[in-house]
Amino acid sequence: MRNRLILGAMGGMLRPSIRLTYRHLGAAMTCVGVIDARAVAAADNDELINILGRREVTTEEERPVSVQLIGGDIKELAVAAGRIQRFASVIDLNCSSPIQRLIDQGYGASSLLRDPAFIREMVRAVVETTRIPVTVKIRIGIEGPDVDVVRIAQNCQEAGAAAITVHARFVRQMYCGPPHWDAIKLVKENVDLPVIGNGAVHSAFDAQAMLERTGCDFVMIGTAAFINPLIFLQTNELLETGHCRTISSAQALVRFFREYSIVARKLESRGPVSFLRRSCKNFLKVRSFMQRIQRGEVTLE
Ligand SMILES: Cc1cc2nc3c(=O)[nH]c(=O)nc-3n(C[C@H](O)[C@H](O)[C@H](O)COP(=O)(O)O)c2cc1C
């Protein structure tokens, strides 16, 4: 890891060329959105390539990149992790999803977080079948502070996890609303693992504050990456020099699109000019969607 900043997974929103652009603009690692372990475990080789293709896993240049699995069956998770590890630098186990469809299948955050012993066995099985680091992403409660985050984190450590990401919100908050960074601090104080803090880092100053207030080792940035696509560069500058230049939204977007056009020209096979025009437009659409998510105007059911 060349710095302390990670681009969070945002399923369906981050093509490889966009993720790689963020790497060029200061993210030390990127994350591919969640993949259902059952589908990976059951797929034949062609289907597997299809599943990964749909999820747009990933180019060599993007590494280190984390690929995320979700599931409620330990055997399936282990098999799936074994099969996808060659596409990843890290396997991340998602215990943080608030999406109703996954909750209905028994492996949304609310089922998994209630069962720290299950999380320990799941991590242990996946660690045993993979040769790359295994991390876990959790939330800090369901309706409120109603799960034992410290026990969960300690179980992950016991089972051999390489790091834990703490999204400092409750499941009912989805992706917006006030974060509870104290829970990140609590986890950090009770495990020896690297802790990745996540939740409402909207500026370089927020990232600095999270590192200072919680003692976490890395900061994961989600929605804000679309709103200020230079947030990684600015945060690195702030952490390295103590200062960070103010950049207008327009300047930030121009800089991002300039970098993106260089990356996309290399990675995307489609006609570069029309592709770029379309995908810059698409980026702006996703950006305003993320602004609405941050304001609590849309939920993702
Ligand atoms: C549209 C969208 C899709 C997401 N998909 C995933 C996902 O597949 N896996 C995951 O762990 N987190 C996912 N997240 C959560 C983010 O990675 C992050 O934890 C969350 O947005 C909180 O960070 P933030 O406050 O910096 O936005 C998603 C978030 C959004 C808004």
Side-chain angles (χ1 to χ4, degrees):
M1 301 287 280
R2 69 174 189 217
N3 63 51
R4 303 174 74 182
L5 307 178
I6 297 169
L7 174 67
M10 282 174 279
M13 306 288 157
L14 292 162
R15 307 174 56 77
S17 46
I18 296 269
R19 295 194 307 259
L20 187 56
T21 306
Y22 284 110
R23 292 273 286 115
H24 288 192
L25 294 174
M29 185 167 87
T30 50
C31 302
V32 174
V34 69
I35 302 176
D36 191 325
R38 178 162 297 169
V40 174
D44 64 28
N45 281 339
D46 287 347
E47 283 163 355
L48 179 64
I49 296 300
N50 255 336
I51 292 168
L52 296 172
R54 274 203 306 278
R55 281 288 165 199
E56 302 187 313
V57 178
T58 179
T59 63
E60 271 307 305
E61 198 189 344
E62 193 185 342
R63 286 168 184 267
V65 62
S66 162
V67 177
Q68 192 180 60
L69 286 174
I70 196 165
D73 180 300
I74 290 176
K75 244 197 191 144
E76 274 170 4
L77 277 158
V79 170
R83 297 191 78 188
I84 64 166
Q85 61 181 327
R86 70 194 159 101
F87 302 97
S89 324
V90 171
I91 299 278
D92 189 43
L93 298 175
N94 184 326
C95 300
S96 68
S97 177
I99 301 293
Q100 194 58 44
R101 181 175 49 82
L102 300 175
I103 290 175
D104 291 345
Q105 293 183 54
Y107 41 80
S110 24
S111 325
L112 298 175
L113 295 174
R114 282 198 181 99
D115 196 348
F118 178 85
I119 294 180
R120 182 179 49 220
E121 294 322 305
M122 167 176 88
V123 176
R124 200 189 305 276
V126 174
V127 167
E128 276 167 12
T129 41
T130 51
R131 48 185 162 65
I132 59 176
V134 176
T135 59
V136 184
K137 186 172 182 190
I138 64 169
R139 287 186 181 241
I140 59 165
I142 297 155
E143 291 297 324
D146 50 9
V147 301
D148 189 345
V149 268
V150 169
R151 168 76 9 238
I152 293 168
Q154 287 172 340
N155 282 6
C156 292
Q157 173 167 299
E158 256 174 64
I164 183 157
T165 302
V166 181
H167 179 181
R169 289 192 178 95
F170 310 122
V171 177
R172 75 164 160 74
Q173 292 180 279
M174 305 292 287
Y175 303 108
C176 71
H180 306 273
W181 288 358
D182 284 354
I184 302 174
K185 183 166 186 260
L186 185 68
V187 168
K188 180 63 196 170
E189 285 167 352
N190 284 283
V191 291
D192 300 320
L193 291 177
V195 172
I196 303 163
N198 173 232
V201 170
H202 294 168
S203 70
F205 295 101
D206 288 343
Q208 185 185 46
M210 179 186 270
L211 288 164
E212 281 171 5
R213 279 196 231 151
T214 69
C216 68
D217 303 275
F218 298 93
V219 171
M220 176 179 283
I221 296 173
T223 46
F226 280 93
I227 296 163
N228 173 10
L230 297 193
I231 189 168
F232 298 99
L233 277 187
Q234 286 180 313
T235 307
N236 286 326
E237 187 184 338
L238 181 64
L239 297 178
E240 279 159 25
T241 67
H243 304 283
C244 125
R245 274 163 295 173
T246 319
I247 304 171
S248 71
S249 267
Q251 281 171 317
L253 286 170
V254 167
R255 175 76 204 276
F256 181 84
F257 287 141
R258 200 173 338 125
E259 193 63 40
Y260 179 52
S261 69
I262 296 167
V263 172
R265 235 165 264 206
K266 269 206 305 195
L267 282 194
E268 305 285 352
S269 48
R270 286 164 273 186
V273 174
S274 68
F275 170 77
L276 264 178
R277 194 175 312 127
R278 228 175 331 115
S279 50
C280 291
K281 239 182 172 172
N282 195 39
F283 183 93
L284 292 175
K285 254 203 231 154
V286 176
R287 182 172 184 265
S288 53
F289 180 62
M290 294 298 175
Q291 281 165 329
R292 293 177 57 220
I293 286 180
Q294 280 192 356
R295 291 197 296 262
E297 292 170 7
V298 274
T299 51
L300 302 171
E301 289 300 331

